[in-house]
Structures are given as C-alpha cells and as structure tokens.
Amino acid sequence: MTNRIEELKRWMWERRHHAARREAPAGVERFYRGEELHDITRSSLRLSKALELETPYFFPGELIAFTRICGPLPSIFSDAEWEKITREHFIHERGNVSNLSPDYGRVLACGLLSLREKLGDGELHAAMRLSIDAVLELTRRYERAAREAGLNELADVLMNVPAKGATSFREALQSLRILHFCMWCEGDYHNTLGRFDQYMWPYLQADLAC
C-alpha cells in the first residue's frame, strides 16, 4: 500500500471529514413540497436543493472526488401526505426506491449532456433536465474548487465528466463516483454498482494498451 493510499485510509477510518459535515437547514422542504407538484417534480427539486447545499471537499491526496457534507433532506411528502399514503397503500421498507442498479455504462459512455439533448417535453423530461443540470452545476463547483486548491489534474477530469463521455479509466471512475453520489443525495438507498467489471473494463483495457 502506498503512503498516499495509507493516508486516505486513515483519513476515512478516523472520519476526519465528519468535522465538515452539517445538517440541512430548517425549513428546506418548502423548496420542493407543494400539493400542486407531481412526485417526480418534487424529487428533482429536492435533488437540486440537496446538491446546491453541498460544499466541495477533498481528502488529502485523493484522485477521485465527491464527499457528502450536507445531511439528508426531509421527505418530499408532508407528514399528513405520508399518513394518507401509508393508510391507503402498502409501503415496502421505508417507501424509498431501493436496490437500484442503473445503466451506468451507458451514461459513462455518452455523458449527461448527450442524454439531456434527447429529452423532450412533459413533466418527466422536465424533471430529468432539472436533475441533470443540478449534477452538472455541482460538478462545475467542484472543478472550480479543485482548481483553486491546486488540484489541476482533478479539475481537468471534472471539466469532461460526467458532462461528456469518459475517455480514460480515471474519467470513468470519477464519472461513476459523481453519479453514485448524486443517487444517494436524491434519497435512494441500496444503490448498487451492478456489473462494475463489465462496464469499467473497456476503459481500463484501453489505458493498459497505451
């Protein structure tokens, strides 16, 4: 194990980054709750607010960034709404979407901007567009913070992904980290990485061949 990895491991196990953590501000749910709003719109607004509240944070020597700083936001439903939902429907576990295994390979290959360009009209696509924009905005803030911290290689990677398709193993890892991070921020849980070996191998193989 290299000294860099050893230090990263120690930093994580000692939870030094917890000193930077903070709770979500009181009343934040007013930004995404509203009887007139569809569930998917509320979810995208909640994700947008969650990512807006994040502050770029870097472990010493890390090459793949994005660390959760802000605590979880309240549900998209009010207590009264949730009571009605649970009274009328059977709710599995906590009610969140869980045990997800998204098509990471597709997004890593084409990038979020390519997917955004294919969106049309309607509430679902509007929510998807808002979510993509929120992810890309947080990535831009991380890029600027990395540049200010002298982490130019990391900043260069963040200029490309996840907006564009990954062109190297490091870019693919960084893009995956951002997407996985944002799913947790959205409120999902049990977010699996699926067949990591299958969708990541082409990038590693190409790097090794250079």
Side-chain angles (χ1 to χ4, degrees):
M1 185 180 296
T2 65
N3 291 335
R4 183 181 69 85
I5 297 300
E6 184 65 39
E7 178 60 19
L8 281 170
K9 178 183 174 183
R10 183 162 50 249
W11 195 276
M12 174 62 73
W13 280 107
E14 294 176 2
R15 300 184 177 182
R16 301 180 195 176
H17 60 294
H18 283 202
R21 287 191 170 177
R22 62 180 185 277
E23 295 300 316
V28 68
E29 63 274 12
R30 71 179 184 274
F31 290 99
Y32 51 84
R33 283 184 189 169
E35 294 183 0
E36 76 284 0
L37 297 176
H38 192 282
D39 296 358
I40 58 174
T41 301
R42 295 190 193 194
S43 291
S44 61
L45 288 171
R46 182 180 183 273
L47 173 63
S48 181
K49 178 54 66 172
L51 299 188
E52 178 186 318
L53 292 171
E54 284 295 320
T55 300
Y57 183 93
F58 305 105
F59 285 78
E62 76 173 347
L63 302 179
I64 308 297
F66 271 63
T67 297
R68 188 81 177 267
I69 294 301
C70 186
L73 274 59
S75 167
I76 62 173
F77 300 111
S78 66
D79 291 343
E81 288 174 322
W82 188 243
E83 192 279 327
K84 183 176 185 295
I85 291 170
T86 55
R87 186 173 66 248
E88 297 177 353
H89 303 277
F90 170 77
I91 303 299
H92 173 66
E93 295 187 8
R94 294 184 297 177
N96 300 60
V97 176
S98 61
N99 296 316
L100 298 175
S101 185
D103 187 0
Y104 285 117
R106 179 186 175 198
V107 183
L108 295 181
C110 69
L112 290 177
L113 287 179
S114 176
L115 294 177
R116 191 185 189 283
E117 291 173 356
K118 298 176 182 178
L119 297 176
D121 300 324
E123 199 161 19
L124 174 60
H125 282 202
M128 294 171 66
R129 190 176 294 108
L130 179 61
S131 297
I132 289 174
D133 290 345
V135 173
L136 295 179
E137 174 55 31
L138 179 58
T139 303
R140 283 190 288 268
R141 287 198 281 122
Y142 257 90
E143 179 200 336
R144 291 194 295 269
R147 196 77 69 187
E148 292 170 0
L151 305 173
N152 291 319
E153 286 188 9
L154 175 57
D156 290 343
V157 170
L158 294 171
M159 283 181 64
N160 294 325
V161 296
K164 305 173 187 176
T167 60
S168 67
F169 186 56
R170 179 174 176 179
E171 286 190 352
L173 287 172
Q174 180 62 76
S175 188
L176 176 64
R177 172 57 188 155
I178 294 171
L179 298 172
H180 194 238
F181 171 96
C182 291
M183 286 181 62
W184 283 105
C185 288
E186 198 277 331
D188 305 323
Y189 65 106
H190 295 166
N191 298 319
T192 74
L193 294 176
R195 290 305 303 270
F196 179 91
D197 57 332
Q198 292 187 357
Y199 59 78
M200 296 298 289
W201 170 242
Y203 302 100
L204 178 58
Q205 185 180 39
D207 281 7
L208 292 174
C210 292

